[in-house]
Amino acid sequence: MIKIAPSILAANFSKLGEEIAEVEKAGADWIHIDVMDGHFVPNISFGAVVMEAIRPLTKLPFDVHLMIENADRYVEDFAKAGADYITVHVEASPHLHRTIQLIRSFGVKPGVVLNPHTPIESILPILEDIDLVLFMTVNPGFGGQKFIESVLPKVEQLARIIKDKDLDIDIEIDGGINEETIVACAKAGANVFVAGSAIFGNVDRAAALQRIKKAGQE
Ligand code: DX5
Ligand code: ZN
């Protein structure tokens, strides 16, 4: 069973509550929360205060994608604001094992994110400590970018390792997902799919979400 995680980065921020209710009703599985600091990525989005405000509006798990430097300093804030998953970038986490332990210490499921060019080797030693691996299929910072297909061999490689080791780890893909690109990602072994513009860029979000989910399940 695949999961769809609409990214609210592409939603209308003046009515976030309605936007979330709409995708929840349409069958969204998680809500993807893109946090950007203007340092690690060249864009600023929103922080834990905004997340806390929308937390009571839905029962869906919050999948918090931190695109920030010094993530350790903010993990507690996002945990207390109601994160279910917190993912941190390998490229921005010099003490990755410590950061993962810190996330788990707040009862939140930890995950790691790999930029398109980052090989999977650096996360192999900590695979047993995480619940989620997120592969970026765009360079992080903005919604609406083109899907980078050359990431897929890494996804296949990791899916095989997870299977061989019999681990329980979700593989998530983020960037440029739509009803076409999801097909190869699902085939490569991913099971959670972030979609921003492909959902919120449509007037009929429910139909868009259903089309993407159906394409990923085939
Ligand atoms: C990019 C973000 C993504 C983004 C995806 O830095 O991490 O989650 O919102 O947007 P789309 O689906 O439009 O590529
Ligand atoms: Zn994201």
Side-chain angles (χ1 to χ4, degrees):
M1 231 5 215
I2 67 158
K3 293 185 169 74
I4 303 291
S7 163
I8 57 165
L9 187 65
N12 180 341
F13 286 177
S14 72
K15 46 172 192 167
L16 264 185
E18 289 165 47
E19 299 279 72
I20 290 169
E22 194 174 344
V23 290
E24 180 169 15
K25 212 170 133 222
D29 298 282
W30 295 357
I31 297 294
H32 186 78
I33 312 259
D34 286 308
V35 180
M36 305 177 179
D37 67 351
H39 291 272
F40 176 60
V41 290
N43 193 12
I44 300 176
S45 58
F46 48 77
V49 176
V50 171
M51 203 186 100
E52 195 176 5
I54 56 174
R55 182 61 284 189
L57 305 179
T58 174
K59 287 196 167 49
L60 294 179
F62 275 6
D63 165 33
V64 182
H65 176 193
L66 296 183
M67 287 163 272
I68 64 174
E69 289 174 3
N70 297 312
D72 291 12
R73 207 184 284 168
Y74 302 97
V75 162
E76 184 169 4
D77 287 352
F78 285 98
K80 291 195 169 144
D84 294 278
Y85 294 85
I86 293 179
T87 57
V88 293
H89 272 262
V90 169
E91 305 85 9
S93 305
H95 306 289
L96 188 57
H97 182 268
R98 178 191 294 159
T99 306
I100 288 160
Q101 303 305 316
L102 180 67
I103 295 169
R104 208 180 279 290
S105 75
F106 292 105
V108 176
K109 293 185 174 127
V112 292
V113 195
L114 301 170
N115 272 338
H117 78 281
T118 305
I120 63 166
E121 276 67 25
S122 63
I123 64 164
L124 297 183
I126 49 132
L127 272 189
E128 323 245 327
D129 303 304
I130 56 178
D131 289 275
L132 174 67
V133 175
L134 171 53
F135 286 95
M136 292 307 302
T137 42
V138 297
N139 290 297
F142 304 93
Q145 302 182 81
K146 192 175 175 296
F147 178 78
I148 302 171
E149 197 169 350
S150 57
V151 173
L152 292 182
K154 283 197 298 185
V155 179
E156 280 173 22
Q157 210 186 338
L158 187 78
R160 210 171 308 125
I161 293 170
I162 288 174
K163 196 162 174 249
D164 289 348
K165 293 188 178 230
D166 199 22
L167 295 170
D168 185 14
I169 299 176
D170 286 312
I171 299 183
E172 183 176 25
I173 309 269
D174 186 6
I177 288 294
N178 57 39
E179 61 198 279
E180 275 110 46
T181 55
I182 195 173
V183 177
C185 297
K187 208 169 150 223
N191 67 309
V192 186
F193 304 91
V194 177
S197 48
I199 291 176
F200 291 105
N202 283 280
V203 182
D204 191 346
R205 280 80 187 272
L209 194 151
Q210 290 304 331
R211 275 200 305 273
I212 296 168
K213 203 171 203 177
K214 190 159 169 273
Q217 261 154 1
E218 274 165 8

